Amino acid sequence: MSTLPERLEASCIPRIRNGADVLGADLQPNEAFLLFRVDGRATIAQLATLAGIEEEEARELIARLASVGLLEVELASGERPREAPPSPLPTEPEGPTPLSRIVEEVGGAYDPGELYEDVQIPIPRRKQILDAFYTFEKLDHYEVLGIDDSADKKAVKSAYFALSKTFHTDTLYGKELGTYKQKMDVVFKRITQAYNVLSKPAMREEYDAYLRSVKGTRAARAAIDAALGIGGPQAPPISATPKPAPAKPSPPPVRPAAPPPAAAPPSSEEARRRARELYARKLSSTRNAPTRPPPSGAPSMPPAQAPTPPPPRDASQVARDLQRALVSVSQHTGGVSQARRLAQDAKRAEEKGDLVTAANAFRLAKELEPDDREVDAGLQRVSAALRVQMLPEFEKQAAYEERNGDHAAAAISWQRVAAGKPDDPISHGAAARCLRRSGGELKLQQQLARRASELAPNDVELRVLLGQIYLEAEMPLNARRELDAAAKLDPNDETVKKLLAELKQKLR
Amino acid sequence: MEKVIGIDLGTTNSCVAIVEGGTPTVIPNRGGYKTTPSMVAITEAGKRLVGHIAKRQAVTNAENTVYAAKRLIGRKWNTTQVRSALATCPYRIVEGPHDDVRIQLRDKLYSVSEISAMVLQEMKIIAEDYLGHEVRKAVVTVPAYFNDGQRQATKDAGAIAGLDVIRIINEPTAAALAYGFGRNLDRTVAVYDLGGGTFDISILEIGSHGVFKVISTAGDTFLGGEDFDSRIIDWLVKGFQQEHGIDLRQDRMALQRLKDAAEKAKCELSAVRETEINLPFIISSSRNEALHLQRMLSRDELERLCNDLIERTIKICESTLEDSGVSKDDIEDVILVGGMTRVPKVQHMVAGFFGREPCKGVHPDEVVALGAAIQGSALLDEQQEMVLLDVTPHTLGIMVVGGFFEPLIPQNTTVPTSSSKTFTTVRDNQTAVKILVLQGESQRAEQNELLGEFILTDLRRAAKGQVEIDVTFEINADGIVSVQAKDLETGRQQSITVTASSGLTQDEITSMIDEAKTHAVDRRATEAFEGTRQEAEKLMGDIERLFPQVEQIVSGSDFGRDAIEKARGVLDRARSLIERKDVEGLKEQLEALGRTQRMFKGVIAKTG
Ligand SMILES: Nc1ncnc2c1ncn2[C@@H]1O[C@H](COP(=O)(O)OP(=O)(O)OP(=O)(O)O)[C@@H](O)[C@H]1O
Ligand SMILES: [Mg+2]
């Protein structure tokens, strides 16, 4: 079946051929540049304008892309090939498949501007880097190294050393790396972090306990954070005024590349699972055989040596299943009555003492019906109870995170603890301290530290902390009050003396 | 592929190596030695001497001969290390313009980087003579425990020497690289490196994939053979003082002789149990009579004098192991590096500490340069499957209110690495934020090493708290720190001014590069000139020797007198060419000299 008309008119509309192996194709940058602008709607003339090239050049490139079977070109008259190709995606039954969808289907949405950046790195290597860069944040240490959680020391070392060779920039010394340099550095840092923990028995044991705790409390955290408004590491902390989103720099679009926090509790279980499977697949294909898994087929089947065995059906699993079921039902039945039904389910669970399920059901109900007073009250009530129930776990998590220098995560965990123990100076103080270390909002630091100090007025360290925060916020009078109080409590404290000296200079 | 050399820039000795056809080899200097003393001197005539020749004339030119410059590189003037060097070095150390250190030789001041550059340049020339072509790229080693300032100053030295230093690597790591190269090992090793000026200990994992990962490193950049020598000198000076009431330290030449003798005795005691130190005519007494120094030193005495120094290295080994989370039993081999590991007591204590005999396979003087060459070729050669993962030896952080040090990147973090921190304005319309960046392990900022003051300037004018600057602190694979800042809202890169850093300014480096270049040319020119001069002087000698005889024979005729005048002119011209160091002119003159010499010989032969 020829898909190339006799003559390529400027008004012809090219589109991606169904099933074309776009990502496996051997493309020149200019071809890729044009190819990724093909959406099945734009004509060749329009594509030329979009890509900023001459029409003639666009025509030649399209002809080549068509000749290697990547594109088919619709006739200028607008008549379609009689047999419309069966669309691979039922959600978009009409029209040709936009490339972005295909890319996503093949696994891992590559931004073409990024994938085809003008750098001296082979395309398969770029994909490895991008895959890792965008998925690692959601993975735990084992998943990052692509190993089983029973892997022995040798296996850990071997996995890390092999990955080092892919992600260390020295292996591409002297090459133009563009934005890949920073990405490789971030990924390398992440695998190194995973290795440093897993290669040392004591640290690994601690981490395993932490991971179990995080996994076991995932559902509970989601509910509690929804009630408190502290979401995840990305969500704004309590009472924080939302920051304006950073302006996106102009093309190519750059996703924020913040270094991933240590084993950050992932934002959504589903995203996490997808990331894990995707990465495991990539890892196994790059390690064992250079062939990619077929784009279609069972898309979410993990490879044979999948890194995670099916987890036991714990509370989080239950909640997840429930959530999935409820969401899909709600899509069919429409919101309002569904919210009622959820609230009822929640109450039943609450009566049975299953606080996790209850809290999550309330949370989902609230998402559907944000203004329902009863739902909100239920969520607050249940999550408050849950908060208390989960306290020991959260405390463990907070302590681990702080010990490992992950201050951003620790600040959130300590806030969870503080919320469960409103009269506890230690957790409030720790939350303030961690927030300070992670560069969190000064105002929130202040609130937490002040509360802590109110609860334990004779604690010198808390006074000093508050004093430091005031000093940093350029509120010298408040700082002085706290530091004077601290000096009264312990006249020999060197730190207090230093701070007061600095303050005097400032006030002068 | 472009050639890259590896240079071990040592406190006492330097060494250069290259990978040729896949095999790392040390390049000998013209004297056939594989290491070259890291010594630089300026002669009375203003001539620059480097290496063995500088060492040989040190006693007669002590004030203008620099040794152990590495102990001063990248250091601030106001430090105990510089103080101690001031007290013991025969050359003049003075304060530089950036709170740094300068060395005065004759009437000129040199930065320490310039002195090191002279040594690097010498190593470059050794390699070039061997290879027969120019070399531009180099990997240079530094002690693992060097801080940012010392690394930066070493890189500057490379630039001044006309080298493109593609990477700075740590000496113990380089040693491990040479040890594991091509052997497909899978083990954990400790490298104990005690050289002339510094001590380093590193724990590494070597993997079968050609990956070398440092787990932890520690050291002391002011602990080495020089300190052992000082102990012997102290002992000698004290003894002499007791006997004659004279302080030998007051005499620079005596001090230099003491230093040589102390080092010699120390080295001898590695092989024998007792040695004699004999320095006749070391100084004259107040009554102007010559005094001699003559003493026996035993190995036991030496060990007693230096025991605490060795203990110090063992303590550092202990804490490094602890930090690394590796137990002694996990260490599968111990590699000894540096000339000082030839001292029996050092070997004994290291073996005792690790509970195993150190590996015998590596050459302690050459292994570091070999490793540097291997790393160089691994970087440039795409076929080479080798990666080196090193760590930063010091914690990097900033100063926060109260003069406290807030760590951002802990020590022993694998490099490259980075850490970001958000800074906000605390006043309305605040346009600048100052950040003090430091390195060290103390909680008090002032006790750590200040790397620089970074001032974010031209901030957006806005209400307080509205401007948020994301500052990224980065440590690259050289172990060198850089800082970048970005306005979080606009995404705009924020300009940074660095002040209060003790390094050389770019302008200074540029002018030093120019000067070093003229020296390289000068040196090559000198060599060519020397050859021609010798040839010319030999002919001139012949002519001058025959002159009276020939003059007597031929002066009877006009023709003869004419010839004599001409010969005199040829000699005069040759002399003035030699004086002006005009190589080209002198070369041309050789012909005239040759003709004259033949003519003179002919006259004598005919008449005689
Ligand atoms: N046989 C020996 N016995 C004792 N000491 C020796 C012996 N041979 C050399 N040394 C000492 O070793 C030191 C030089 O070692 P080396 O050449 O490894 O140092 P370096 O590389 O120049 O210095 P560093 O690595 O500290 O910068 C000198 O102090 C020298 O006296
Ligand atoms: Mg050395």
Side-chain angles (χ1 to χ4, degrees):
Chain A
M1 169 181 88
S2 165
T3 50
L4 197 60
E6 304 280 286
R7 220 155 32 84
L8 274 181
E9 303 275 355
S11 57
C12 284
I13 298 175
R15 67 163 170 244
I16 309 286
R17 251 183 97 154
N18 195 23
D21 181 12
V22 171
L23 295 177
D26 175 24
L27 295 178
Q28 295 297 312
N30 57 349
E31 292 165 354
F33 193 66
L34 191 65
L35 179 63
F36 283 99
R37 278 154 184 76
V38 170
D39 60 359
R41 295 197 177 83
T43 62
I44 292 182
Q46 287 165 331
L47 287 169
T49 319
L50 277 174
I53 55 177
E54 293 295 321
E55 223 172 83
E56 194 46 44
E57 192 187 347
R59 225 190 305 241
E60 271 167 28
L61 291 174
I62 297 283
R64 194 186 105 69
L65 290 168
S67 72
V68 296
L70 291 171
L71 292 179
E72 48 194 20
V73 181
E74 221 173 273
L75 297 175
S77 55
E79 60 184 77
R80 296 185 163 213
R82 240 166 296 137
E83 242 178 290
S87 167
L89 290 168
T91 45
E92 197 149 339
E94 260 164 52
T97 316
L99 184 67
S100 59
R101 295 306 293 266
I102 295 180
V103 171
E104 213 158 310
E105 255 243 320
V106 171
Y110 300 105
D111 181 327
E114 202 171 26
L115 184 63
Y116 293 101
E117 189 180 329
D118 191 13
V119 293
Q120 296 170 298
I121 310 174
I123 296 286
R125 183 92 176 260
R126 298 182 192 196
K127 289 180 188 165
Q128 285 177 300
I129 296 165
L130 293 175
D131 290 340
F133 183 70
Y134 289 114
T135 53
F136 270 12
E137 206 169 332
K138 300 191 181 71
L139 305 183
D140 66 40
H141 292 340
Y142 291 100
E143 292 161 349
V144 159
L145 296 184
I147 49 174
D148 203 275
D149 54 12
S150 62
D152 66 1
K153 219 181 143 155
K154 244 195 154 92
V156 174
K157 177 173 167 181
S158 162
Y160 169 69
F161 277 21
L163 289 174
S164 296
K165 287 184 137 176
T166 306
F167 297 121
H168 198 282
T169 45
D170 273 1
T171 52
L172 290 168
Y173 185 85
K175 301 274 185 293
E176 177 56 52
L177 301 182
T179 67
Y180 281 82
K181 182 191 173 303
Q182 182 251 5
K183 290 178 180 121
M184 290 175 80
D185 285 349
V186 167
V187 172
F188 175 68
K189 196 175 154 186
R190 180 72 187 90
I191 58 172
T192 301
Q193 180 194 36
Y195 177 66
N196 285 343
V197 171
L198 299 186
S199 60
K200 290 172 198 136
M203 286 181 83
R204 180 168 171 177
E205 211 167 284
E206 257 190 357
Y207 177 73
D208 286 345
Y210 170 74
L211 205 58
R212 270 195 304 276
S213 171
V214 167
K215 281 183 177 160
T217 55
R218 185 166 288 133
R221 273 200 323 263
I224 289 172
D225 293 352
L228 290 175
I230 48 177
Q234 295 90 344
I238 320 173
S239 81
T241 43
K243 277 184 228 157
K248 276 236 164 105
S250 32
V254 180
R255 276 171 270 187
S267 40
S268 107
E269 181 62 19
E270 194 49 34
R272 210 179 104 83
R273 190 184 55 76
R274 239 182 292 124
R276 188 170 57 222
E277 279 167 6
L278 173 65
Y279 186 68
R281 205 163 66 206
K282 304 268 172 176
L283 211 57
S284 68
S285 73
T286 54
R287 277 232 209 106
N288 306 332
T291 47
R292 279 181 303 110
S296 53
S300 57
M301 268 293 282
Q305 76 279 40
T308 41
R313 234 181 104 82
D314 59 5
S316 71
Q317 178 79 41
V318 175
R320 210 167 62 214
D321 291 349
L322 174 70
Q323 171 183 352
R324 211 180 286 147
L326 294 177
V327 170
S328 73
V329 171
S330 78
Q331 275 166 357
H332 291 290
T333 55
V336 182
S337 56
Q338 185 57 29
R340 292 259 122 245
R341 213 166 308 152
L342 275 168
Q344 273 159 21
D345 286 347
K347 270 185 217 142
R348 251 198 306 274
E350 189 183 354
E351 275 154 24
K352 271 194 273 171
D354 184 354
L355 294 177
V356 175
T357 308
N360 272 302
F362 274 130
R363 179 167 65 84
L364 295 170
K366 189 176 162 146
E367 269 169 30
L368 294 171
E369 199 50 24
D371 299 326
D372 188 319
R373 285 252 189 84
E374 202 184 322
V375 167
D376 191 53
L379 177 59
Q380 295 301 338
R381 183 180 63 245
V382 174
S383 64
L386 194 56
R387 231 149 43 205
V388 176
Q389 193 181 50
M390 291 292 164
L391 265 179
E393 289 302 312
F394 291 164
E395 260 174 321
K396 259 191 272 173
Q397 291 168 20
Y400 179 85
E401 287 155 353
E402 184 172 1
R403 212 169 35 245
N404 284 278
D406 189 0
H407 295 105
I412 290 171
S413 293
W414 279 123
Q415 282 179 65
R416 279 192 203 109
V417 177
K421 284 181 167 179
D423 296 331
D424 171 37
I426 295 175
S427 52
H428 283 83
R433 185 175 62 226
C434 291
L435 209 55
R436 195 168 123 76
R437 287 297 302 275
S438 64
E441 251 200 69
L442 266 175
K443 195 149 166 219
L444 184 59
Q445 289 178 28
Q446 225 179 86
Q447 282 171 4
L448 288 162
R450 202 169 52 216
R451 177 79 186 131
S453 190
E454 276 164 21
L455 293 167
N458 292 333
D459 188 317
V460 179
E461 264 177 50
L462 286 174
R463 296 261 179 201
V464 171
L465 176 65
L466 190 52
Q468 278 173 319
I469 293 170
Y470 281 137
L471 255 175
E472 212 146 87
E474 302 256 315
M475 296 164 78
L477 294 177
N478 290 14
R480 168 166 226 161
R481 194 185 58 221
E482 296 305 323
L483 293 171
D484 279 344
K488 223 174 262 159
L489 288 167
D490 183 357
N492 300 320
D493 191 310
E494 283 300 315
T495 312
V496 176
K497 282 187 203 159
K498 286 256 176 200
L499 285 168
L500 277 171
E502 183 168 324
L503 192 64
K504 262 194 207 113
Q505 249 181 354
K506 210 162 242 176
L507 286 175
R508 220 184 300 127
Chain B
M1 193 185 71
E2 196 177 343
K3 289 270 183 209
V4 52
I5 51 175
I7 303 177
D8 170 8
L9 178 61
T11 308
T12 332
N13 299 300
S14 294
C15 181
V16 59
I18 191 157
V19 176
E20 271 187 311
T23 312
T25 2
V26 168
I27 302 176
N29 63 23
R30 242 159 310 171
Y33 297 99
K34 292 191 168 177
T35 61
T36 301
S38 306
M39 283 185 140
V40 171
I42 305 288
T43 64
E44 199 165 356
K47 220 172 131 136
R48 181 187 284 189
L49 306 174
V50 185
H52 285 105
I53 183 162
K55 186 168 184 171
R56 245 176 272 134
Q57 56 85 67
V59 172
T60 52
N61 187 22
E63 273 182 49
N64 299 294
T65 304
V66 187
Y67 62 87
K70 189 173 170 183
R71 298 201 119 186
L72 298 171
I73 200 163
R75 295 212 192 259
K76 300 212 172 100
W77 173 250
N78 225 330
T79 51
T80 51
Q81 289 89 348
V82 173
R83 285 285 109 81
S84 121
L86 269 176
T88 55
C89 288
Y91 51 90
R92 278 200 197 86
I93 303 171
V94 299
E95 186 174 359
H98 316 296
D99 186 30
D100 59 344
V101 175
R102 299 282 153 122
I103 293 168
Q104 183 173 354
L105 297 178
R106 304 287 166 193
D107 49 5
K108 195 167 175 288
L109 289 183
Y110 297 86
S111 72
V112 185
S113 289
E114 270 177 295
I115 302 286
S116 293
M118 295 178 200
V119 178
L120 288 175
Q121 202 171 18
E122 182 72 18
M123 304 319 285
K124 177 176 187 265
I125 289 170
I126 290 172
E128 287 172 347
D129 285 350
Y130 172 86
L131 293 168
H133 59 73
E134 205 199 346
V135 175
R136 287 206 41 83
K137 288 186 163 29
V139 171
V140 177
T141 64
V142 295
Y145 214 55
F146 256 21
N147 65 25
D148 180 76
Q150 292 167 307
R151 285 165 198 270
Q152 193 65 61
T154 304
K155 223 173 171 177
D156 290 347
I160 295 168
L163 283 167
D164 173 12
V165 179
I166 64 168
R167 180 63 54 84
I168 297 275
I169 66 170
N170 295 328
E171 285 158 14
T173 316
L177 219 52
Y179 161 88
F181 179 71
R183 289 172 68 192
N184 206 28
L185 300 176
D186 195 351
R187 60 174 75 149
T188 304
V189 300
V191 181
Y192 177 103
D193 178 356
L194 188 59
T198 58
F199 168 67
D200 279 327
I201 170 79
S202 292
I203 313 290
L204 291 104
E205 273 181 313
I206 304 175
S208 50
H209 308 271
V211 181
F212 293 71
K213 183 183 194 278
V214 179
I215 306 174
S216 71
T217 195
D220 187 330
T221 53
F222 219 81
L223 173 55
E226 295 277 334
D227 300 291
F228 288 66
D229 300 348
S230 297
R231 293 290 168 86
I232 301 175
I233 297 172
D234 284 348
W235 179 77
L236 291 172
V237 167
K238 219 187 239 157
F240 198 85
Q241 175 95 33
Q242 275 165 8
E243 196 178 331
H244 301 286
I246 291 177
D247 182 5
L248 288 176
R249 286 191 191 284
Q250 297 313 316
D251 187 295
R252 282 178 200 262
M253 185 142 131
L255 195 55
Q256 183 63 43
R257 284 180 72 191
L258 279 172
K259 193 184 138 35
D260 285 353
E263 188 188 354
K264 192 163 147 275
K266 176 189 70 179
C267 293
E268 281 167 5
L269 288 176
S270 295
V272 299
R273 299 215 62 105
E274 208 177 30
T275 185
E276 185 180 20
I277 298 171
N278 201 343
L279 294 170
F281 306 103
I282 183 93
I283 206 159
S284 27
S285 73
S286 50
R287 274 171 287 127
N288 238 358
E289 58 186 342
L291 296 174
H292 318 299
L293 186 152
Q294 194 173 18
R295 270 186 103 177
M296 292 302 286
L297 178 62
S298 69
R299 190 187 286 176
D300 289 346
E301 181 68 30
L302 174 67
E303 288 174 2
R304 197 185 59 71
L305 289 173
C306 302
N307 190 48
D308 64 306
L309 296 174
I310 309 177
E311 291 277 2
R312 241 163 85 198
T313 68
I314 299 294
K315 278 235 171 61
I316 299 174
C317 292
E318 212 164 351
S319 63
T320 317
L321 263 188
E322 211 172 290
D323 290 348
S324 66
V326 174
S327 80
K328 277 186 211 172
D329 300 337
D330 295 334
I331 305 283
E332 291 159 287
D333 212 346
V334 177
I335 304 164
L336 294 184
V337 185
M340 284 302 295
T341 59
R342 292 202 181 87
V343 174
K345 178 83 173 171
V346 170
Q347 291 175 356
H348 181 73
M349 286 183 61
V350 174
F353 174 75
F354 286 103
R356 64 168 56 242
E357 280 307 309
C359 139
K360 294 266 183 296
V362 301
H363 195 301
D365 297 333
E366 300 168 10
V367 69
V368 172
L370 291 171
I374 292 169
Q375 170 68 353
S377 90
L379 288 176
L380 294 192
D381 183 354
E382 283 171 44
Q383 309 308 320
Q384 285 239 24
E385 288 269 293
M386 209 201 71
V387 190
L388 185 61
L389 311 175
D390 217 321
V391 299
T392 173
H394 303 283
T395 300
L396 180 76
I398 53 172
M399 182 164 110
V400 293
V401 287
F404 292 98
F405 177 65
E406 182 182 309
L408 294 172
I409 298 174
Q411 66 182 142
N412 289 325
T413 300
T414 305
V415 292
T417 189
S418 63
S419 170
S420 297
K421 193 171 167 65
T422 307
F423 291 82
T424 48
T425 51
V426 289
R427 265 172 280 120
D428 291 341
N429 294 325
Q430 182 178 348
T431 54
V433 171
K434 185 160 104 178
I435 305 167
L436 264 68
V437 181
L438 307 118
Q439 239 175 5
E441 311 311 320
S442 170
Q443 289 194 0
R444 307 269 347 146
E446 84 245 10
Q447 277 161 26
N448 292 324
E449 181 80 15
L450 176 69
L451 304 190
E453 277 182 25
F454 295 83
I455 303 174
L456 305 176
T457 49
D458 304 325
L459 298 185
R460 237 168 348 107
R461 287 181 178 276
K464 68 176 176 191
Q466 291 287 304
V467 181
E468 290 191 310
I469 309 292
D470 189 42
V471 182
T472 303
F473 303 84
E474 199 179 318
I475 304 180
N476 66 13
D478 291 331
I480 290 177
V481 179
S482 65
V483 179
Q484 279 124 39
K486 194 170 75 196
D487 187 323
L488 271 182
E489 190 176 326
T490 61
R492 193 167 68 97
Q493 281 290 325
Q494 197 62 54
S495 54
I496 300 178
T497 325
V498 189
T499 60
S501 120
S502 66
L504 298 171
T505 65
Q506 196 50 53
D507 283 351
E508 281 175 307
I509 294 176
T510 313
S511 79
M512 288 170 187
I513 291 174
D514 287 346
E515 188 165 331
K517 249 189 226 148
T518 63
H519 263 279
V521 173
D522 195 33
R523 191 194 137 129
R524 290 195 182 286
T526 311
E527 273 162 21
F529 173 74
E530 285 301 312
T532 319
R533 191 190 63 163
Q534 277 174 19
E535 214 175 310
E537 279 180 349
K538 185 178 172 302
L539 293 171
M540 288 160 72
D542 286 350
I543 297 169
E544 280 163 0
R545 194 164 36 81
L546 301 176
F547 212 97
Q549 235 179 312
V550 175
E551 193 172 21
Q552 208 178 15
I553 296 167
V554 300
S555 60
S557 67
D558 277 356
F559 168 78
R561 274 194 299 278
D562 204 31
I564 285 290
E565 266 326 292
K566 262 202 190 128
R568 196 166 278 160
V570 168
L571 281 178
D572 284 348
R573 185 166 154 70
R575 275 195 207 100
S576 90
L577 285 168
I578 288 174
E579 202 151 297
R580 278 185 278 132
K581 298 202 165 145
D582 182 345
V583 198
E584 292 311 311
L586 192 59
K587 264 188 198 153
E588 279 168 28
Q589 191 68 7
L590 282 179
E591 210 193 309
L593 283 169
R595 233 184 300 123
T596 313
Q597 182 228 36
R598 279 194 302 277
M599 192 262 280
F600 272 31
K601 280 190 172 163
V603 170
I604 304 252
K606 242 180 253 160
T607 56

